[in-house]
Amino acid sequence: MSAREKIKKEWKSTDYELIVMALLGVLFLFVFAYLPMYGITLAFKDGDGKINVLRTLFYGEWIGFDNFKAFFMDEKFYQVLRNTLGLNLLMLVIEFPAPILLALSINEVMHKPYKKVVQSISIFPHFLSWTIFGGIILAVSNVNTGVINPVLEVFGLSSPDKPVNLATGEYIWWLIILSSLIKSTGWGSIIYLTAITGIDPALYEAAEIDGAARFAKMRHITLPSIMPTITLFFILRLSNMLDNSFEQFYVFQNGANLTRSEVLSTYIWKMSIGSSDRRFSYSSALGLFNSVIGFILLLIGNLTSKKLTGKGVF
Amino acid sequence: MKKNQAGSGRRQRMLPFDYINYILLGALVLIAFYPMWYVLICSFNEGPDFMAGGIWILPRKFTTLNYHIVFGDAKLWHAFFVTVMKTLIGTFTGLLFTSVVAYSMSRNELKYRNVFYWVNMFTMFFGGGLVPYYLIIRATGLYDSFLVYIIPAMYSVYNMIVISTFFRGIPNDLHEAAIIDGAGEFVTLFTVYLPLAKPILATVGLWLAVGHWNGYFGTMVYTDGGNLTTLQYYLLQLIKQTTAPDNMDAESMEKIVSETVSYAAMVVATIPILCVYPFLQRFFTKGIALGSLKG
């Protein structure tokens, strides 16, 4: 009896049950993850405007990098790329430290009820959809009826005859970043607060005996203690920097700001599914480009964190 | 006041630093809170009066007319119904399917466990992107059917890992006892493991439910809208003013404007989230701690 047959003989009914369970997951992933991966080949075929794109996907001729060349030649692509990278980098720089600062600040609050109120209100926007939250931000910043202009007028930054319209291309980046900041900072602080709670109190006591002041303790105990968490989340943040942003950006887009608010995720949709041109191959190529950039960012993040802290995700 | 304790110190008295910190936090909270408050008060204000601007703290000309329009809007009710069904069914099937796979992956005796593990992990790092995924949705016939909300959302590797980590924490004696009693793996999962896994099922269930409730991308990309329009997608159209409630006729137009009506609709859509918010805070936070354990 070969070893293979021997193993087969030893299979119990429970083994088959477990395999069936695991295969359910494989079946799902085959259809919804691995088949789409094969679909990437569409980026190297000519399926633009075809009615039966699937036919092209399976039987179409290879055309090399023509689709990629096409968008590299397109001026619009550079505009979208600038928006995508610019917005995401700004969001990273501004949004990443915010929850850490908030957690440090909340941690210093002595009154429990106040702490609770601060947390409850700051976390809440995280659970609102981008439709609702985007709608709220657009309402507050509306040029005619909103409250932002009157506030800016107080500081002399706006005037009734020349009001600031935050939904236009000139300011839309800041409106998007502001909204993102309000929506995610409270939520993001939870993880750091949890990490801070895990710090051994003896460390603080020892520091107090040594006469450390509040900021000294923050700098020399709290921050180093939560550094692993910070590193991990920085890499995670980098790795998904370019995806999951469709719903967020699309809400803010309008005709007057599109040159500054169009990002890769929305552009890909608009070129293919959301348009009558149905440029499926062109968009697949853009999608692949997007993934590659995302992957490079992940590698850069990992490398940076290894250089700075000696630790990375892989 | 006596029980107070602060993270990096054990002082009882407020120092100038504390006052500044409290005031700064208060200001931040106000920035997070005010926009929501603003939309709430405007939704209770007469439309034409709202257009004149200047409503900041309380409604100026109070009315519930906006809400009458919203509650009388058949399209909104339909979208609401679709969303509730999508959330309930999607959460249930998602939990069930993911738990079954998670259970098998949590068992060391699963044959070819390593292969299964990598088949799952690979998809966490690589994907096909929007267009190929869309083509699959088309090819499977899911496009523009209610099932497009349910089936593609049934499984996620991340949730599988979270649930299976929890299963691994359950003492193996329980599993052995069940198997010796003649129960198969499916029976063991449903009678022993799932009842014990309630906390994690609540956490993952809330993740799924909030995702189902809040998303509009699925409606926009994988359906033609129409009958399958979800609440969030309908709200999006209201906000972008590409649609308006049917009962906003010429007569009522004198008293209302689309802005305040859409604000009222936004408030109504927020109420369910507000109702489950205490649970969300409790279980979501738990989930975050779990997620960080993995890292």
Side-chain angles (χ1 to χ4, degrees):
Chain A
M1 212 188 307
S2 74
R4 215 201 165 98
E5 283 168 322
K6 209 170 176 185
I7 291 169
K8 263 211 159 147
K9 253 210 155 162
E10 281 166 11
W11 277 44
K12 300 187 293 285
S13 70
T14 50
D15 288 328
Y16 288 107
E17 277 186 89
L18 285 179
I19 285 280
V20 168
M21 291 179 179
L23 280 176
L24 284 176
V26 173
L27 182 72
F28 180 96
L29 292 176
F30 175 73
V31 177
F32 294 109
Y34 286 97
L35 280 182
M37 280 183 217
Y38 175 74
I40 294 173
T41 56
L42 193 59
F44 304 95
K45 293 173 179 177
D46 182 19
D48 283 2
K50 298 267 167 65
I51 292 165
N52 194 344
V53 189
L54 279 177
R55 216 189 129 74
T56 315
L57 174 57
F58 288 108
Y59 306 110
E61 259 176 62
W62 297 93
I63 57 165
F65 285 87
D66 285 6
N67 290 312
F68 295 85
K69 278 179 206 146
F71 70 66
F72 278 122
M73 305 281 275
D74 193 351
E75 227 171 275
K76 177 92 183 142
F77 165 74
Y78 292 98
Q79 199 181 69
V80 174
L81 189 65
R82 181 201 65 199
N83 292 340
T84 311
L85 293 177
L87 261 169
N88 278 299
L89 277 175
L90 271 176
M91 280 162 107
L92 181 73
V93 170
I94 296 172
E95 254 175 59
F96 188 75
I100 303 169
L101 294 175
L102 183 65
L104 290 175
S105 168
I106 289 178
N107 187 47
E108 295 295 325
V109 173
M110 289 184 280
H111 300 84
K112 272 231 165 106
Y114 191 68
K115 208 178 203 169
K116 216 155 177 184
V117 170
V118 169
Q119 279 207 282
S120 295
I121 294 179
S122 63
I123 295 170
F124 185 69
H126 171 80
F127 294 106
L128 295 179
S129 68
W130 268 113
T131 338
I132 295 181
F133 197 72
I136 288 174
I137 294 295
L138 287 170
V140 183
S141 62
N142 186 289
V143 61
N144 299 316
T145 53
V147 289
I148 288 192
N149 261 303
V151 172
L152 289 177
E153 273 168 35
V154 172
F155 295 102
L157 295 167
S158 169
S159 64
D161 23 286
K162 237 184 133 233
V164 173
N165 188 352
L166 290 172
T168 52
E170 204 179 335
Y171 301 105
I172 193 68
W173 280 24
W174 301 109
L175 192 66
I176 290 174
I177 291 167
L178 181 74
S179 66
S180 191
L181 200 59
I182 298 174
K183 197 170 188 289
S184 65
T185 305
W187 170 251
S189 71
I190 299 176
I191 187 70
Y192 298 112
L193 272 172
T194 316
I196 292 173
T197 323
I199 300 173
D200 186 358
L203 286 174
Y204 291 117
E205 280 158 25
E208 260 163 64
I209 292 167
D210 289 345
R214 182 115 44 125
F215 280 106
K217 279 186 275 182
M218 225 186 251
R219 236 186 68 201
H220 298 294
I221 300 175
T222 316
L223 266 183
S225 302
I226 62 172
M227 213 46 190
T229 315
I230 295 177
T231 313
L232 175 71
F233 275 74
F234 185 74
I235 299 170
L236 288 179
R237 180 72 179 71
L238 265 187
S239 65
N240 57 26
M241 197 164 121
L242 294 185
D243 40 63
N244 300 327
S245 45
F246 184 100
E247 294 196 353
Q248 176 182 358
F249 292 120
Y250 186 74
V251 176
F252 290 102
Q253 289 179 354
N254 64 41
N257 65 29
L258 213 51
T259 51
R260 304 276 289 171
S261 63
E262 189 85 277
V263 291
L264 274 170
S265 57
T266 54
Y267 187 59
I268 288 170
W269 172 76
K270 271 175 209 165
M271 295 306 281
S272 55
I273 305 158
S275 105
S276 50
D277 291 344
R278 299 165 59 85
R279 301 185 67 182
F280 283 112
S281 284
Y282 184 83
S283 309
S284 298
L286 274 173
L288 184 56
F289 175 80
N290 193 18
S291 309
V292 170
I293 297 276
F295 196 69
I296 291 173
L297 285 173
L298 172 67
L299 293 181
I300 292 175
N302 201 44
L303 205 74
T304 322
S305 119
K306 266 189 184 159
K307 273 256 164 72
L308 291 177
T309 65
K311 267 185 230 153
V313 166
F314 47 79
Chain B
M1 291 277 275
K2 268 168 268 153
K3 280 182 277 167
N4 300 334
Q5 53 104 25
S8 61
R10 260 147 235 288
R11 298 138 290 102
Q12 301 293 320
R13 230 175 307 132
M14 297 271 284
L15 301 170
F17 169 85
D18 290 299
Y19 287 109
I20 296 170
N21 189 31
Y22 276 46
I23 291 169
L24 275 179
L25 274 177
L28 287 177
V29 163
L30 202 66
I31 291 175
F33 178 74
Y34 182 76
M36 300 188 266
W37 175 252
Y38 172 80
V39 166
L40 181 69
I41 56 168
C42 291
S43 71
F44 280 108
N45 201 76
E46 275 182 22
D49 177 57
F50 159 81
M51 293 306 276
I55 296 164
W56 294 337
I57 313 283
L58 285 170
R60 191 164 47 209
K61 285 189 175 168
F62 183 85
T63 179
T64 53
L65 199 61
N66 299 313
Y67 287 89
H68 286 288
I69 299 286
V70 167
F71 285 120
D73 179 10
K75 276 192 290 188
L76 186 124
W77 280 113
H78 185 80
F80 188 83
F81 176 72
V82 171
T83 311
V84 169
M85 293 311 283
K86 168 185 183 240
T87 305
L88 289 179
I89 300 174
T91 305
F92 177 76
T93 53
L95 274 182
L96 190 71
F97 194 91
T98 311
S99 302
V100 168
V101 183
Y103 176 78
S104 70
M105 298 295 286
S106 77
R107 304 303 312 166
N108 283 332
E109 57 270 34
L110 171 69
K111 310 271 187 206
Y112 308 111
R113 193 161 167 276
N114 256 334
V115 179
F116 285 120
Y117 179 78
W118 282 110
V119 167
N120 276 279
M121 285 316 279
F122 189 74
T123 63
M124 298 259 290
F125 297 103
F126 301 97
L130 175 66
V131 173
Y133 192 81
Y134 170 83
L135 292 177
I136 291 298
I137 296 291
R138 277 257 148 158
T140 48
L142 286 169
Y143 184 84
D144 204 31
S145 95
F146 181 72
L147 287 178
V148 81
Y149 294 140
I150 307 298
I151 293 178
M154 248 180 358
Y155 183 65
S156 104
V157 176
Y158 183 82
N159 291 344
M160 184 277 285
I161 292 171
V162 169
I163 297 177
S164 104
T165 309
F166 189 90
F167 282 156
R168 282 177 161 275
I170 295 175
N172 204 34
D173 302 352
L174 292 171
H175 180 262
E176 269 171 38
I179 298 290
I180 288 170
D181 285 348
E185 297 285 1
F186 275 100
V187 176
T188 311
L189 165 63
F190 284 103
T191 57
V192 180
Y193 275 71
L194 284 187
L196 285 172
K198 269 180 207 147
I200 199 66
L201 293 180
T203 303
V204 176
L206 281 172
W207 290 348
L208 291 172
V210 170
H212 273 292
W213 185 266
N214 278 345
Y216 69 79
F217 187 72
T219 313
M220 190 168 153
V221 179
Y222 306 123
T223 76
D224 290 334
N227 255 337
L228 288 170
T229 294
T230 47
L231 187 58
Q232 303 299 339
Y233 188 59
Y234 185 63
L235 284 176
L236 181 77
Q237 290 173 314
L238 284 184
I239 292 165
K240 294 208 168 232
Q241 300 195 353
T242 50
T243 190
D246 289 335
N247 50 345
M248 257 178 78
D249 45 36
E251 190 193 341
S252 64
M253 287 304 256
E254 283 171 21
K255 277 282 185 62
I256 56 167
V257 295
S258 57
E259 278 87 350
T260 48
V261 171
S262 75
Y263 297 169
M266 276 151 61
V267 172
V268 170
T270 307
I271 292 170
I273 295 280
L274 205 58
C275 291
V276 295
Y277 186 49
F279 302 100
L280 290 177
Q281 248 187 315
R282 219 170 86 212
F283 288 105
F284 261 70
T285 318
K286 253 190 206 166
I288 297 193
L290 268 174
S292 65
L293 275 184
K294 280 194 329 137

